[in-house]
Amino acid sequence: MELNAFQELSEKITLECFYMSDSQQEEKIIQLIDLHHFVECYHQSLKVIDYVNNPVNIIEENGIKKGILFYDLKFSSPLNPYESDQFKKENALEELWFVFVEEDAKTLHSQYADFIIENAVEVFYDKIFVFNFFQSIISSLK
């Protein structure tokens, strides 16, 4: 992402999310960075529709609306998959993607598998990925 584009989007978050605390705005900016880097690494035809109003980002791929939830095992709050399913229905999304974001390659595959089972991620999400942010590598788990 270009620096100018990042600054514009960061300012948009600051203006549109004025009601959020500083830490919530920081989380939103991290979400934005994850989203745009993921789009660059995954497929250039993904079009970002909404990222400001929800933890689930709305994108469009070939005319199909999809949602992407980024999740960091180290820092994210507990997951309620039922909320994601509700979000999918309310926003008429055809697919919902779950993306583990990792900053290093130290997370064991078994940790992802355990989390997926414990939180019924496979039931509620159509695709599951691991996104190594710094290596710009996306691996599909489902």
Side-chain angles (χ1 to χ4, degrees):
M1 175 188 308
E2 293 179 19
L3 183 59
N4 289 341
F6 175 74
Q7 283 181 309
E8 286 177 23
L9 294 170
S10 297
E11 288 172 10
K12 183 178 180 179
I13 288 172
T14 304
L15 292 173
E16 291 183 14
C17 302
F18 62 89
Y19 55 89
M20 291 182 176
S21 69
D22 288 344
S23 64
Q24 289 173 317
Q25 285 186 7
E26 181 181 343
E27 285 180 37
K28 193 54 74 174
I29 290 171
I30 290 168
Q31 176 185 342
L32 169 70
I33 293 168
D34 289 343
L35 173 63
H36 281 274
H37 191 50
F38 182 87
V39 167
E40 289 172 350
C41 296
Y42 179 77
H43 199 285
Q44 294 298 330
S45 73
L46 296 178
K47 177 183 173 189
V48 177
I49 297 174
D50 186 17
Y51 57 86
V52 173
N53 300 311
N54 302 289
V56 177
N57 306 282
I58 300 176
I59 59 159
E60 186 177 286
E61 181 180 35
N62 300 322
I64 299 171
K65 280 178 64 176
K66 302 175 182 188
I68 301 177
L69 177 66
F70 292 99
Y71 196 89
D72 187 328
L73 285 174
K74 296 176 195 158
F75 303 110
S76 296
S77 57
L79 180 66
N80 182 347
Y82 300 103
E83 289 177 3
S84 298
D85 192 47
Q86 178 83 17
F87 183 83
K88 182 178 179 180
K89 291 174 186 171
E90 289 173 357
N91 290 279
L93 303 175
E94 291 190 39
E95 289 185 12
L96 198 53
W97 297 357
F98 188 92
V99 179
F100 290 105
V101 178
E102 64 177 19
E103 295 175 3
D104 54 39
K106 295 179 183 175
T107 305
L108 301 174
H109 182 74
S110 62
Q111 290 175 286
Y112 296 124
D114 291 345
F115 183 89
I116 290 168
I117 292 167
E118 290 169 10
N119 293 280
V121 173
E122 199 166 25
V123 173
F124 293 98
Y125 293 86
D126 301 289
K127 293 186 180 182
I128 304 170
F129 300 97
V130 174
F131 178 40
N132 185 301
F133 187 87
F134 292 113
Q135 293 182 359
S136 303
I137 298 171
I138 301 170
S139 304
S140 178
L141 298 179
K142 174 183 175 187

